[in-house]
Amino acid sequence: MENVNFLYDLLGKNVISVLLIVSLPLMFVLVYALIAILAELKVSAWIQERLGPMRTGPWGILQPIAEVVKLIQKEDITPDRSSKLLYNLAPFIIFTGAYAAFAVIPFSEYFVPAGINLGLFYIFAVGSISAIGIVMGGWASNNKYSLMGAMRSVAQLISYEIPAAMAVLSIVVLASTMNMQEINKIQSGWFWNWFIFGGPGTLAKLWVIPFTLGLGLIYFISSLAETNRVPFDIPEGESELVAGFHTEYSGMKFAMFFFAEYANMFVVAAVLTTIFLGGWNSPFGDFMQGPFWGVFWFVSKAFTVVLVQIWIRWTLPRFRVDQLMYIGWKVLLPLSFICFMAVSLYVMLK
Amino acid sequence: MGLLDRLDDPYEGGGIILGKVEDLLNWGRSKSDWYLHFGLACCAIEFMAMNASHFDFMRFGTIPRTSPRQADFIMVTGTVTFKMADRIKILYEQMAEPKYVISVGSCSNCGGPYWEHGYHVLKGVDRIIPVDVYIPGCPPRPEAFEEGMMLLQKKISHQAIFNKRKRLESEV
Amino acid sequence: MIQYIKNIWAGLSSTFIGMRITWKHLFVKKVTIQYPDERFKLPEKARNRLYLEMSRCNGCNSCAIACPVNCITVETIRVSPDDPHQEVHYNGKDRKLWVSRYDIDFAKCCYCGLCTAVCPSEAIQHTTEYEYSVYNRESLLYKFQTLTPEQVKEKERLLAEFRAIEKVCHPEGDAKPAEKKVVDKKTE
Amino acid sequence: MLPNEIYDTLKTEFGDAVIEYNDQQPTDSFILIGADNLFDICHTLRDKDAFLFDYLMCLTAMDLGENVGVVYHLYSMTHKHRLVLKVTAPKTDPKIPSVEMIWRTADWHEREAFDLIGVNFEGHRNLIRILCPYDWEGHALRKDYVAPEYYHNMKVSY
Amino acid sequence: MSDIKRLDLEYSQLESDRMRINVGPQHPSTHGVLRLEVEVDGEIVTEVVPHLGYLHRCFEKHCEKMTYLQVIPYIDRLDYISAMNNEWPYVMALEKLMDIKVTDKVEYIRVIMAELNRIANHQIAVATFGLDAGAFTPFLFFFRDREYIIWILEKMSGARLLYNYFRVGGLAADVYPGFKEDCLNIVKQVRKTNAEVMDLLIYNKIFIQRSANVGILTPEVAINFACSGPVLRGSGVKFDLRKDEPYSIYDRFDFDIPVGTGEVGVVGDCWNRNMVRVNEMEQSCRIIEQAIAQMPDEGDVKALVPKRIKPPKGEVYMRAENPKGELGFYIVSNGTDKPERIKARGASFVNLSVIPEISKGYMFADLILILGSIDIVLGEVDR
């Protein structure tokens, strides 16, 4: 693919531009995480007829900044009987896993840090890194709650990887590419060209729309589980496991977990946006279409998905661990197979 | 309390830049207070009521944490018994610096109604951990909790990291 | 199999019902009272901090007796007849007792309202004041007496003088026994 | 059934073990029984069709000076009648048979009575302190109880 | 402390990796300071040992030192969520001991206060149960409504939580103008929120999955453990002191006793126990409406008893249907103005003792729900 990166064109391919391109997503992650934290606080408050943070800046919009300023100053405790190396390494690994996924996320037609051809495959590969970090952190903390949280979390991540992968695979079959930029390009045009509505095609695609909608739902549910959000937040379920695998973490290391969680939320939302919701494409054909509008559309779509995740969090109770496995293996997996076969059939007939 | 306890530091100074940085850091600490809710007795119900929609404690930037490691201050709401006292001490020691304690209600202030004949009641949580703010009441109104919170924020924002600050007038 | 599909449907539909409810609540008017800026109006008989109107207090000690937690300490001195500061009570009678000490320890107080119920002169009252958090617990010990320590000493001296004279006049001791009335419930 | 009828029935069955029937107002009328036969009497009260006292409302131990007494408030869910039983034992050696096997609810009530008054329930499977810490000394609700000065280096008195 | 451990033989002989977890005393969902020593085999709970006493505030010792009037503030602090209900059996016991009849108006006000407080208590119970299951929003909806109830109670008594309102033979204060309208508004609001929460929480599929068929308590076990209140009724036993032993004026009202029906799950599980509470709120609303309609406007509520209450020598056990279950006071009077002995039979204390029995074999997450469904208040457990 031609994969034009306008910054390379602008600055030439040297160290500075590479660093800039690498750090742009980092900047984005930091700013986004702050906004997402604020959104979480505010949305939860409004749903509950409260106001949320009000006294830090106008309407409390500086609240996340205060949190960061505070977390920097907090003492960094390493428990005495923990496994020091693993304990200290875990947050970095988790954050690396979340951040590395940003490498292939196409923010716009012209901006994707690394437009590799196996983009979706890469995301799944990198996404699983966080499982290692979680189990490291949970085990090294030398805390029973942490250990239980870590075990649950890993079991959950592994189980839900499969339906999510099946959902993505169906779209790969539909688009016949794993390059995320390509997938986006296929979906250009009006919103009925999005893969959640069966992708571009004639009216013959009508019968496949329920299946692609189902795939979108399956991916969304699995993504909730992969990011440990309610109703799948059993690894850190407050009422059972105090704070789950990060019970013993404090200060900046805890902040890393925090950031990684929100970054992960964005990654799954971005994947959902890319493969189902048309990525950086405008929903209205050529209206507001363009490289910079692309960033706008992409971010706003992804952020809407994040908001829905937050919305669900403050609506539902959480599952029990066996029910979670049941849903993963006995509901989502068979359904995703059915949808996959339907989509394959559609591709064959096309 | 380590770094932040240098109110009695003999030399003054630090200059404008350090002063401003300090302001920022103190602002961050005072505006973002994660608390370990230590619900013990009656006051805990009022505490829940304060977290509820009508009073909305989160307006002050307070977020509940269930793990002491991540908490900035601990709110002891209720009667502390001897059986419980050791645990409170352990939890307090597990918290990361800088840490603060708010003692809520008569019982944790000094044993409250149980101060005279309560053979099993610790007469004031300040006998085992240092308390920063005392909120009187049995139980205090939710607004009183919030007033205590503002008092704590005031205290935090007057603390010194780099240079000496004036003590709070009411604290002397 | 039918049950299986029904369960999935129930799960999805109840989730959407729940989300619809929370969505509605996202936009309703918020009920929060933003405390330091706006306040909830307390009912008049709200039981918060106690206040003692010293000019009405006649030192009868019934509040200290009624208090279940003994947070009120009252000490009184009898008014000697030749005291220059004779005071007339709110009900027109002469003051019999100088209240030399009236302490309420709000760290102990349980705000039950029993002391206000027994007060004959309505001197002690619950107020609607609830904002008095402090940095030091000692600040919660409120002293209500209006007499300065010098005045207390003066009164004690006057009383002692009066007693001495009385004793001379009535050596049999048919007058009231000379004592400084320290009222403490514990000794009761 | 009224308490006096229950008393008559028990008296014929257990003889001297049922000591006294008291119905002086305003006290709830109660039956005083000897400690030795308590278990059997309670068993009869629970299982006999005429009584069916399947619900132990309350179990109270109290310090009576020289004796300690235990009061059982019984209720029958089927017949809707109630009964008060009383047992006493000397304070120096307060041994009373446990009814934990009859009414499981008595488990914690008896542990509490042991904790606060020091009644020794014989036959209780797990008679340890329940409210005070396990290393607490003395029985707090006895009239002659003096609170310790320090507990784990914490001053007890104000 | 080896004697605390009381493992059944068959368990201790099994060779498997078990983990002992300490839940509490400071844990987000132990509803206070209960400590459960839980032995888990993987995620399955094999043994639960409750340790109490972390809030033992020596209530019974204080009673012996106080006069009868001074005991009332301490009684508020037993079950601090439903303080009005707590005071009632105590004053009733003393009234029975001293043979006092209270006026009709007092009775009606007491009923309304107690039922309002029952609604407030059940709101907390259902809300925290939802919180244990992970649903945060219903918690705040209930607390928003509870605030309106609290405002009424505050206007009546002066305090928000610990009212000290009932007196022997009367009440501390009369109703304020506009009381009836406030109560009727509350009833409306409670019904509205209940309908909403039904959809949001109670009939939510996830919630049903979590709480139905969990922690099944059979009626026989419940009676043998002397459970009471919604815990007993959730098991299908139709027993309510307001109907079975009508005290005060409850025989004048028309209301039902909700029991666990097994509509979802089986009778006696957590969902049914919780549902009984939701239904009881509706019944309380009905009682309040009837009481408001029947309440006489005229009449004195102040007690016509001497300031120093000196009941005659005697003993009395009085019980009343509290939101949590049967609260009984056993008062031994020795003829002076201070009681010889007061024993409080707390409903939570008795209901909690059933925990080790019904939580074996369920998952660790279920244990939290079972604990939540029993609705304990540690002030009443530890006294």
Side-chain angles (χ1 to χ4, degrees):
Chain A
M1 170 198 163
E2 57 269 44
N3 191 11
V4 189
N5 239 324
F6 70 99
L7 279 169
Y8 286 143
D9 291 347
L10 220 62
L11 302 170
K13 197 154 188 169
N14 55 31
V15 179
I16 296 172
S17 63
V18 169
L19 274 180
L20 193 62
I21 283 178
V22 169
S23 59
L24 262 178
L26 184 64
M27 294 297 141
F28 175 77
V29 171
L30 294 178
V31 172
Y32 147 78
L34 295 182
I35 295 171
I37 291 169
L38 186 67
E40 174 102 47
L41 294 174
K42 280 291 186 185
V43 169
S44 71
W46 288 337
I47 282 179
Q48 294 153 358
E49 301 192 10
R50 299 187 284 127
L51 287 170
M54 285 296 285
R55 298 176 59 81
T56 318
W59 282 81
I61 52 171
L62 298 180
Q63 187 61 41
I65 297 171
E67 316 258 322
V68 172
V69 170
K70 192 243 0 218
L71 279 169
I72 290 170
Q73 298 171 73
K74 284 295 272 188
E75 185 191 4
D76 195 3
I77 295 176
T78 309
D80 200 24
R81 284 158 72 191
S82 65
S83 174
K84 303 264 181 323
L85 178 69
L86 295 183
Y87 178 87
N88 289 325
L89 212 55
F92 295 95
I93 286 182
I94 291 179
F95 190 73
T96 310
Y99 177 50
F102 277 83
V104 293
I105 288 177
F107 283 92
S108 155
E109 202 173 348
Y110 296 109
F111 183 71
V112 50
I116 56 174
N117 279 331
L118 290 172
L120 282 170
F121 185 74
Y122 171 83
I123 281 195
F124 271 85
V126 173
S128 308
I129 290 180
S130 61
I132 304 171
I134 287 173
V135 81
M136 268 166 73
W139 183 81
S141 303
N142 191 22
N143 180 321
K144 285 170 184 170
Y145 289 123
S146 300
L147 185 61
M148 274 178 90
M151 300 312 286
R152 287 176 174 195
S153 182
V154 171
Q156 180 178 325
L157 272 175
I158 290 171
S159 327
Y160 278 82
E161 205 93 293
I162 299 166
M166 286 309 296
V168 171
L169 207 58
S170 313
I171 301 304
V172 171
V173 167
L174 211 52
S176 60
T177 175
M178 283 181 107
N179 188 322
M180 295 174 90
Q181 200 67 294
E182 288 285 307
I183 293 175
N184 271 349
K185 283 194 179 144
I186 291 171
Q187 299 179 73
S188 59
W190 284 76
F191 60 86
W192 52 74
N193 281 350
W194 296 355
F195 277 127
I196 199 160
F197 300 118
T202 54
L203 277 180
K205 74 168 185 177
L206 273 180
W207 68 271
V208 88
I209 289 179
F211 293 101
T212 44
L213 272 173
L215 284 170
L217 199 61
I218 287 169
Y219 183 79
F220 181 69
I221 293 171
S222 313
S223 70
L224 282 179
E226 277 185 64
T227 45
N228 297 340
R229 300 286 296 182
V230 167
F232 304 102
D233 74 331
I234 51 160
E236 42 194 290
E238 280 190 340
S239 60
E240 299 145 30
L241 296 182
V242 187
F245 58 87
H246 54 67
T247 303
E248 293 282 334
Y249 284 90
S250 62
M252 239 7 238
K253 291 206 196 90
F254 172 68
M256 300 279 271
F257 279 117
F258 217 64
F259 273 103
E261 187 188 329
Y262 283 95
N264 254 331
M265 271 166 73
F266 189 81
V267 169
V268 292
V271 174
L272 188 74
T273 310
T274 310
I275 64 176
F276 286 109
L277 301 178
W280 36 258
N281 285 305
S282 160
F284 314 110
D286 283 339
F287 174 65
M288 291 164 89
Q289 180 77 303
F292 290 99
W293 280 115
V295 175
F296 166 77
W297 284 117
F298 184 82
V299 172
S300 54
K301 280 174 190 172
F303 204 73
T304 311
V305 177
V306 170
L307 283 179
V308 173
Q309 288 183 345
I310 293 172
W311 175 19
I312 284 184
R313 168 166 185 178
W314 297 102
T315 304
L316 293 181
R318 75 170 67 84
F319 279 112
R320 202 169 57 206
V321 63
D322 60 323
Q323 290 160 354
L324 186 101
M325 292 294 143
Y326 177 89
I327 287 168
W329 291 103
K330 288 193 167 171
V331 178
L332 291 186
L333 193 61
L335 288 182
S336 65
F337 270 119
I338 291 170
C339 294
F340 175 63
M341 282 196 283
V343 169
S344 309
L345 192 67
Y346 168 71
V347 172
M348 271 168 71
L349 292 176
K350 196 159 72 172
Chain B
M1 274 188 264
L3 189 66
L4 299 169
D5 222 13
R6 284 166 50 190
L7 277 172
D8 300 322
D9 210 345
Y11 61 88
E12 288 192 30
I16 294 166
I17 295 170
L18 281 184
K20 288 293 167 202
V21 170
E22 187 178 47
D23 278 346
L24 176 72
L25 294 179
N26 278 345
W27 171 81
R29 279 191 300 121
S30 69
K31 291 296 183 189
S32 156
D33 297 282
W34 296 0
Y35 62 88
L36 176 70
H37 175 215
F38 209 89
L40 294 168
C42 334
C43 298
I45 305 299
E46 281 299 67
F47 189 80
M48 277 150 80
M50 178 189 55
N51 274 304
S53 309
H54 273 282
F55 301 99
D56 190 15
F57 198 31
M58 207 183 267
R59 283 186 296 118
F60 296 84
T62 48
I63 297 173
R65 296 305 308 175
T66 44
S67 165
R69 300 278 188 208
Q70 295 144 16
D72 299 318
F73 72 96
I74 178 172
M75 236 180 188
V76 185
T77 50
T79 320
V80 185
T81 59
F82 287 122
K83 213 171 173 178
M84 198 67 204
D86 295 342
R87 270 88 180 172
I88 290 188
K89 207 170 175 189
I90 291 169
L91 276 173
Y92 177 73
E93 282 162 0
Q94 280 179 343
M95 283 163 66
E97 296 279 358
K99 52 193 175 185
Y100 306 91
V101 179
I102 297 184
S103 156
V104 178
S106 294
C107 291
S108 52
N109 286 350
C110 76
Y114 305 96
W115 72 274
E116 208 173 0
H117 309 296
Y119 53 85
H120 192 240
V121 178
L122 183 73
K123 315 299 184 302
V125 73
D126 50 0
R127 293 191 180 188
I128 47 170
I129 53 176
V131 174
D132 291 292
V133 174
Y134 295 87
I135 302 177
C138 192
R141 289 185 63 81
E143 290 101 322
F145 281 80
E146 292 176 345
E147 194 233 345
M149 185 65 229
M150 292 196 309
L151 222 60
L152 180 68
Q153 286 183 340
K154 199 167 142 200
K155 182 172 187 169
I156 293 172
S157 57
H158 280 71
Q159 268 182 336
I161 299 173
F162 300 117
N163 59 353
K164 193 180 163 187
R165 288 294 178 95
K166 277 183 202 147
R167 275 176 175 271
L168 281 181
E169 272 157 31
S170 48
E171 208 184 347
V172 178
Chain C
M1 188 66 199
I2 292 168
Q3 191 58 39
Y4 175 82
I5 292 166
K6 261 190 192 163
N7 276 344
I8 293 174
W9 175 246
L12 281 176
S13 64
S14 65
T15 302
F16 284 120
I17 290 171
M19 284 172 78
R20 202 187 66 217
I21 290 172
T22 41
W23 178 258
K24 259 191 267 166
H25 277 274
L26 203 50
F27 301 105
V28 299
K29 194 169 178 297
K30 310 295 175 247
V31 294
T32 307
I33 302 165
Q34 297 204 50
Y35 154 63
D37 307 326
E38 43 182 333
R39 279 149 207 261
F40 170 65
K41 196 172 165 294
L42 267 66
E44 257 171 41
K45 57 181 157 189
R47 297 206 305 259
N48 287 297
R49 191 169 71 185
L50 289 164
Y51 176 70
L52 181 86
E53 181 77 48
M54 197 35 121
S55 61
R56 292 175 84 94
C57 178
N58 54 10
C60 68
N61 200 35
S62 49
C63 46
I65 293 166
C67 181
V69 298
N70 294 344
C71 68
I72 304 177
T73 316
V74 187
E75 279 175 17
T76 47
I77 306 168
R78 261 184 62 204
V79 179
S80 79
D82 40 348
D83 196 322
H85 303 99
Q86 293 291 351
E87 203 175 281
V88 179
H89 236 292
Y90 71 99
N91 53 4
K93 288 181 185 161
D94 283 349
R95 186 179 263 287
K96 293 268 168 49
L97 294 162
W98 288 115
V99 183
S100 65
R101 182 174 165 206
Y102 196 106
D103 295 352
I104 301 182
D105 191 346
F106 284 108
K108 291 173 190 163
C109 178
C110 75
Y111 304 86
C112 58
L114 289 177
C115 48
T116 58
V118 296
C119 185
S121 56
E122 293 182 356
I124 186 161
Q125 286 293 338
H126 277 292
T127 59
T128 50
E129 173 62 36
Y130 51 82
E131 301 153 290
Y132 52 114
S133 303
V134 290
Y135 292 118
N136 287 317
R137 196 173 85 195
E138 288 72 36
S139 328
L140 286 176
L141 182 70
Y142 279 56
K143 296 178 189 301
F144 286 97
Q145 72 267 24
T146 43
L147 298 180
T148 58
E150 293 78 40
Q151 281 176 317
V152 171
K153 271 197 189 125
E154 171 74 11
K155 310 280 184 221
E156 274 172 5
R157 190 183 56 78
L158 282 171
L159 185 66
E161 274 173 13
F162 169 67
R163 289 254 162 79
I165 295 164
E166 211 174 32
K167 220 172 199 173
V168 171
C169 300
H170 307 277
E172 302 84 27
D174 55 344
K176 286 203 178 128
E179 97 275 48
K180 183 188 153 207
K181 197 181 171 194
V182 180
V183 184
D184 193 357
K185 199 190 155 194
K186 267 174 263 174
T187 56
E188 216 195 19
Chain D
M1 263 177 136
L2 290 170
N4 54 349
E5 295 164 18
I6 295 170
Y7 171 74
D8 292 341
T9 327
L10 284 179
K11 190 83 186 168
T12 48
E13 196 164 335
F14 289 96
D16 288 343
V18 184
I19 298 167
E20 189 195 335
Y21 173 67
N22 183 323
D23 61 347
Q24 284 171 344
Q25 291 299 321
T27 308
D28 294 340
S29 43
F30 64 86
I31 299 175
L32 184 69
I33 52 179
D36 299 338
N37 287 55
L38 177 75
F39 188 87
D40 292 336
I41 292 172
C42 287
H43 206 272
T44 316
L45 284 174
R46 190 191 72 174
D47 283 351
K48 199 170 177 183
D49 284 342
F51 304 139
L52 281 181
F53 285 107
D54 48 2
Y55 193 90
L56 177 68
M57 292 192 286
C58 185
L59 189 155
T60 315
M62 47 188 296
D63 186 350
L64 301 171
E66 278 155 29
N67 291 333
V68 291
V70 180
V71 187
Y72 302 82
H73 289 87
L74 306 177
Y75 183 74
S76 167
M77 296 292 256
T78 10
H79 299 312
K80 314 269 180 210
H81 55 199
R82 52 204 281 181
L83 181 70
V84 185
L85 288 185
K86 275 194 179 182
V87 189
T88 54
K91 206 174 184 179
T92 46
D93 182 25
K95 274 189 187 157
I96 285 172
S98 164
V99 293
E100 184 231 356
M101 302 288 251
I102 299 173
W103 297 286
R104 299 282 300 282
T105 178
D107 182 354
W108 283 16
H109 280 301
E110 283 179 357
R111 275 175 69 186
E112 190 200 330
F114 166 74
D115 188 353
L116 298 179
I117 300 275
V119 186
N120 220 333
F121 288 97
E122 286 181 309
H124 193 291
R125 288 175 292 182
N126 186 26
L127 196 63
I128 52 170
R129 285 185 182 274
I130 186 167
L131 295 180
C132 293
Y134 298 110
D135 56 351
W136 193 260
E137 277 169 21
H139 301 287
L141 273 188
R142 289 194 174 185
K143 298 278 180 198
D144 52 358
Y145 175 73
V146 185
E149 202 168 323
Y150 281 91
Y151 175 76
H152 286 198
N153 295 326
M154 288 173 282
K155 197 161 168 247
V156 172
S157 62
Y158 181 69
Chain E
M1 271 185 251
S2 60
D3 52 345
I4 302 159
K5 245 161 100 172
R6 205 182 65 204
L7 285 173
D8 294 330
L9 261 180
E10 45 183 317
Y11 279 133
S12 61
Q13 282 167 354
L14 282 173
E15 285 286 322
S16 95
D17 278 350
R18 283 155 201 275
M19 187 156 71
R20 287 194 96 80
I21 302 182
N22 244 325
V23 183
Q26 165 55 21
H27 188 275
S29 59
T30 48
H31 297 249
V33 284
L34 174 67
R35 175 173 157 224
L36 295 175
E37 201 182 327
V38 186
E39 198 189 61
V40 288
D41 180 3
E43 288 265 348
I44 309 286
V45 174
T46 53
E47 202 203 355
V48 180
V49 184
H51 297 271
L52 322 176
Y54 290 92
L55 194 58
H56 178 43
R57 301 196 279 196
C58 332
F59 163 74
E60 284 158 23
K61 189 81 177 171
H62 280 89
C63 291
E64 292 171 11
K65 311 273 182 190
M66 303 286 159
T67 62
Y68 284 98
L69 193 58
Q70 288 174 342
V71 169
I72 296 179
Y74 288 91
I75 285 170
D76 285 336
R77 285 159 180 78
L78 284 181
D79 177 359
Y80 36 77
I81 297 178
S82 48
M84 287 279 186
N85 287 292
N86 282 6
E87 294 164 7
W88 204 357
Y90 175 75
V91 293
M92 272 199 297
L94 283 179
E95 280 156 11
K96 193 176 166 195
L97 205 56
M98 297 166 73
D99 203 18
I100 299 173
K101 283 290 281 181
V102 293
T103 57
D104 255 12
K105 186 175 184 188
V106 172
E107 293 278 31
Y108 277 110
I109 296 175
R110 282 181 182 181
V111 166
I112 294 169
M113 290 288 106
E115 293 304 325
L116 280 177
N117 212 333
R118 187 186 306 275
I119 294 174
N121 174 81
H122 283 336
Q123 280 175 336
I124 290 193
V126 179
T128 48
F129 186 52
L131 196 60
D132 289 344
F136 203 82
T137 304
F139 173 82
L140 284 157
F141 288 174
F142 273 135
F143 259 81
R144 181 200 62 208
D145 278 12
R146 180 174 174 274
E147 204 62 36
Y148 300 127
I149 297 179
I150 295 289
W151 287 352
I152 291 189
L153 297 181
E154 188 185 17
K155 277 187 201 162
M156 291 293 279
S157 69
R160 277 175 54 91
L161 198 61
L162 307 170
Y163 309 104
N164 189 17
Y165 183 62
F166 286 28
R167 293 280 183 275
V168 178
L171 296 165
D174 204 343
V175 293
Y176 62 92
F179 166 70
K180 289 183 178 180
E181 290 78 42
D182 280 1
C183 286
L184 293 177
N185 287 339
I186 285 293
V187 167
K188 249 183 254 160
Q189 178 70 24
V190 166
R191 282 182 174 147
K192 195 176 142 216
T193 308
N194 273 8
E196 213 162 48
V197 172
M198 283 282 195
D199 284 343
L200 184 57
L201 181 71
I202 308 281
Y203 283 108
N204 185 294
K205 185 71 187 164
I206 300 175
F207 185 73
I208 290 174
Q209 286 281 321
R210 281 299 303 277
S211 58
N213 301 319
V214 163
I216 298 162
L217 177 66
T218 56
E220 295 77 33
V221 175
I223 289 175
N224 202 358
F225 271 96
C227 294
S228 49
V231 178
L232 182 64
R233 289 194 284 275
S235 299
V237 183
K238 207 163 189 168
F239 180 73
D240 188 320
L241 287 173
R242 290 175 294 173
K243 280 266 191 209
D244 286 77
E245 254 183 27
Y247 53 91
S248 182
I249 49 163
Y250 273 114
D251 45 359
R252 298 185 199 173
F253 302 117
D254 170 35
F255 64 99
D256 303 327
I257 309 172
V259 289
T261 50
E263 175 192 358
V264 174
V266 292
V267 174
D269 61 4
C270 293
W271 192 89
N272 280 294
R273 277 199 283 279
N274 194 46
M275 195 61 196
V276 166
R277 294 202 178 91
V278 179
N279 288 337
E280 266 185 28
M281 278 192 235
E282 167 60 28
Q283 298 307 324
S284 292
C285 289
R286 280 178 66 190
I287 296 177
I288 291 170
E289 280 174 344
Q290 293 171 40
I292 292 278
Q294 297 173 16
M295 190 175 116
D297 286 326
E298 305 301 311
D300 196 21
V301 300
K302 285 273 191 305
L304 295 169
V305 285
K307 277 218 169 121
R308 293 234 143 190
I309 300 164
K310 275 189 192 174
K313 214 170 163 173
E315 305 162 9
V316 68
Y317 178 80
M318 193 70 211
R319 56 181 187 160
E321 184 71 31
N322 255 32
K324 304 237 165 14
E326 169 191 331
L327 175 72
F329 280 105
Y330 178 54
I331 300 178
V332 182
S333 154
N334 54 5
T336 62
D337 62 347
K338 287 180 183 174
E340 174 85 12
R341 172 95 164 89
I342 291 181
K343 155 97 181 182
R345 180 259 197 227
S348 308
F349 178 75
V350 179
N351 289 349
L352 181 63
S353 67
V354 87
I355 271 270
E357 190 72 15
I358 61 172
S359 54
K360 262 180 214 160
Y362 295 104
M363 296 198 124
F364 183 62
D366 293 336
L367 172 67
I368 305 294
L369 276 192
I370 295 169
L371 187 64
S373 75
I374 283 183
D375 182 23
I376 50 164
V377 158
L378 265 294
E380 201 180 35
V381 175
D382 295 340
R383 278 155 291 153

